[in-house]
Amino acid sequence: MNQEQKVFTCIGKGHGAPCLPSTRREWEALRREPWLAQMCARIERGDEQLKHRLPVWTPSCAEFRDNHRAQADALKPLRRLMMDFDEKGHTDEIMRNLTPSPSPTGEGSEMTIGGLLVLLVEESVRRGTHVLVELPEGMSAGDAQNLMKEATGFEPDKQVKGVDRCIYMVPEDHTRFVSERLFEVTHSSPESGEVRRGSGGERRYLQEFKGIPYTSIIAEYWRRTGGEPSEGERNKRLHQLAANLRAICDNQEDWLLEVMPNYGLSVQEMKSIIHSACKEPTKGSRIIDQIVSTTPLWSPEGDTIEVEVQEYCSPLGGLKRGSLPIGLKESLAGVPVSMHIPVLCSVLPLAAAYADQVEVRYCDGEMQKLGMMSIVYGEQASGKSVCKHAVNIWKRQFDEEDALARKREDEWKERKKSRKANEKAPEDPKVLIRVVPVTVSCSTLLKRLKNANGHTLYSFGEELDTLRKTNGAGSWSSKYDIYRLAFDPLDSEWGQDYNSDQAESGVVKVAYNWSMLGTNGAVKKCFKGDNIENGLSSRILLAEMPDTSFAKMPRYGRRSAEDEARIQQAVTRLRSYCGFVDTPRLRKAIDQWVEEKRVDALKDIDHVKDTYRRRAAVIGFRCGVIFHLLSGLAKESKACVEFALMMAEYCMNQQIKAFGNVLQNQYVDAQTECQRYGENNSIFDQLPPSFTADDLAALKRGSVPRNSIIKIISRWHKDGWVEKADTKRWKKVSHSADQKRDNDKVTS
């Protein structure tokens, strides 16, 4: 056999990574790699966080469309079933039950078990057992599992999995039996058992209704009716599904057979269920009508399906959801259009934390890492929880690894606490914990950063006000400098030095991203004069939730299991990048954008825009880098550049809207408008001898807050230039000009 033939899909690192066609030679070579054996040995000893870094392969499919591991994109499905025995100690007994049988070719013999042709027997990473068998035509997965149980006495995992199922790769010494037939590929036909629907075979009917995929309609149907059927209720629940779907499949049995899931039932069983459902008196389906009329769903091209009148315009402008890369696109599944930007802003800092080994060159020529902080703000009950749900899916890999690390740390603390007086304290395991609470103390944060080994930490805060009200360690005010430094993790260092064993000391690179949710009031309280002027406000990616005053309740859809799997694939992709990533198209586009904004600010003498354009450009650039990494393309796409510019524009406008007035007031305090004289006469000289605060406000360009006007007059009064005439009016002091000139002469 040609060893270069694609025989299954081998995935580089982790089960979310891109699918790569694998040959027999590649598969065998990977199993002989020393690092794979070392990783598996460490996992056996308890280092569970490594498991998600193992390469995986798909024994039931040889190739997927666009390298996307999903049942709907299976191009070369195989009639194979991997049976999984989680308990240890079954492998030897299963091997004793293998029976030699003559090969159909007459050359050598093959192994069977319970009449099933065995292609592979191996011990899993944690010494369970995997048995890969070939399914005869017409045999369901459930039937094959029952045969296996009868032959061995051991019951395999009953969960029926699709052709997109992946298996962790194990070293060569875990392999107990391999058949030559493993490397012979015979693709399944569209009519062959459970690999019919979505198997890549020819489809004769539309796979969507009014632009909504049947897979999405069915997923929503299960969600509204109690979840997917268990094994004991498959026939009944599938009959109900068919009865509900038949109206939107023109009551055609073949159409239903093509779009419905089968959960391990044979073609004949499915035909019987569908025929029975279609024989009932014709009627519509109220639940299906509700699903297609109220759930915001999406077409494959990414256009919004107008199943319900939307009250808001999409802030994405001309950039369609379908133009977004893997991970970002699925983050918006089921999210109302008006909330797209807030959801993206909440997950982008986390995505950047996953890509923490990447360095990029900015348009000023300096190298950068992807430091990012975001705040999503809106009034109470404005739907901010939609951001939390997206972040929780993105955060899963960190959470799983941190749980194991925290367990090790807790065990160390317990051993340290329970040791005898003369016993040496156990050595600190110095575990890597990536997700820390936003209220983490500075001392603990320093410890986590010291143990990070160059990785970026991440925090998610559900309530910004909770952080602001924290009076002890971990308060908002004590972290101003840390947050500002975290924006430039490549060059910024922070530390503290205590002469005590109780507090952490040291100096570290500040690699720390976060996302927070908060109300409008909490944002105003957190961002007052000091941390707006000191640059913290310009480093924050702000997103505003839509105004829901007197609005109808928004309708949310539901992310499918496939959407969530795609997000995990995106996470793994980001974690796989390391070193310098060149983005010349992004650099050029952002350079042009920031120059255009400089010219705009100069024309308007707008110091606020001039300030916020600079870092908004950096934030937009980093968002574009994340887009590019997720795209997996060699060069930045047009959509990537558009996304970066859109995010830069949105970021700048939000910063100006939220912080512009306060920053403008601080510029006012520092400018010559607070003094009497200037080259072309000051505002003071333009005022009449007697004036009010309204007179001064009328001379100022633009809208100036009342408190800023009063502050200027108070400054003049303090300097002896004006005095109070009555409750509303002030008058100039006549001798102040001569006195001012004399003072100037003395000081000169």
Side-chain angles (χ1 to χ4, degrees), residues 12 426 465 664:
D465 206 43
Q664 179 62 39

Side-chain angles (χ1 to χ4, degrees), residues 140 143 234-235 264-274:
S140 69
D143 292 339
R234 288 178 305 183
N235 292 48
L265 298 181
S266 68
V267 174
Q268 290 304 318
E269 288 173 312
M270 289 298 299
K271 285 182 176 180
S272 175
I273 289 171
I274 291 169

Side-chain angles (χ1 to χ4, degrees), residues 348-357 370 398 434 455-458 513 575 626:
L348 280 166
L350 179 50
Y354 278 119
D356 60 352
Q357 301 304 297
L370 303 179
F398 274 169
R434 302 287 296 274
H455 288 293
T456 297
L457 306 187
Y458 175 77
N513 291 5
R575 301 181 80 173
I626 294 167

Side-chain angles (χ1 to χ4, degrees), residues 265-482:
L265 298 181
S266 68
V267 174
Q268 290 304 318
E269 288 173 312
M270 289 298 299
K271 285 182 176 180
S272 175
I273 289 171
I274 291 169
H275 180 70
S276 174
C278 289
K279 280 199 313 182
E280 296 177 3
T282 304
K283 61 179 180 178
S285 169
R286 185 174 181 181
I287 189 170
I288 296 297
D289 289 343
Q290 290 175 341
I291 290 172
V292 298
S293 64
T294 62
T295 304
L297 297 171
W298 304 87
S299 72
E301 291 76 24
D303 298 317
T304 309
I305 302 303
E306 297 296 340
V307 295
E308 184 180 64
V309 177
Q310 294 285 346
E311 297 184 22
Y312 314 107
C313 296
S314 172
L316 288 172
L319 192 66
K320 296 179 180 179
R321 171 180 174 264
S323 302
L324 297 177
I326 183 174
L328 298 185
K329 179 166 60 179
E330 289 76 17
S331 298
L332 302 183
V335 175
V337 176
S338 57
M339 300 179 184
H340 281 183
I341 288 286
V343 170
L344 289 176
C345 291
S346 66
V347 302
L348 280 166
L350 179 50
Y354 278 119
D356 60 352
Q357 301 304 297
V358 168
E359 292 186 15
V360 289
R361 190 179 303 281
Y362 188 54
C363 52
D364 62 0
E366 294 293 325
M367 297 295 290
Q368 293 186 355
K369 299 196 84 169
L370 303 179
M372 195 177 294
M373 300 165 281
S374 72
I375 295 177
V376 176
Y377 70 101
E379 296 301 339
Q380 295 184 24
S382 59
K384 293 187 292 294
S385 61
V386 73
C387 300
K388 175 187 174 184
H389 298 152
V391 168
N392 284 343
I393 297 172
W394 274 84
K395 199 158 53 74
R396 281 179 187 168
Q397 291 194 25
F398 274 169
D399 287 340
E400 291 172 2
E401 293 166 10
D402 284 1
L404 298 171
R406 289 186 183 278
K407 181 180 178 182
R408 287 182 58 202
E409 189 174 61
D410 290 342
E411 291 170 350
W412 165 72
K413 289 178 181 178
E414 190 60 36
R415 291 197 306 271
K416 184 178 178 182
K417 179 181 177 182
S418 60
R419 78 183 193 280
K420 297 178 182 179
N422 60 347
E423 190 176 352
K424 183 180 178 181
E427 185 178 352
D428 186 342
K430 298 181 180 179
V431 295
L432 169 61
I433 292 177
R434 302 287 296 274
V435 179
V436 297
V438 291
T439 52
V440 62
S441 69
C442 290
S443 182
T444 302
L445 180 59
L446 179 59
K447 177 182 177 180
R448 297 297 185 217
L449 287 169
K450 286 170 68 175
N451 294 341
N453 297 321
H455 288 293
T456 297
L457 306 187
Y458 175 77
S459 289
F460 175 72
E462 293 186 45
E463 291 292 343
L464 180 60
D465 206 43
T466 301
L467 181 64
R468 184 189 65 82
K469 291 177 180 178
T470 307
N471 295 322
S475 67
W476 171 260
S477 59
S478 69
K479 301 249 186 61
Y480 291 170
D481 289 338
I482 300 173

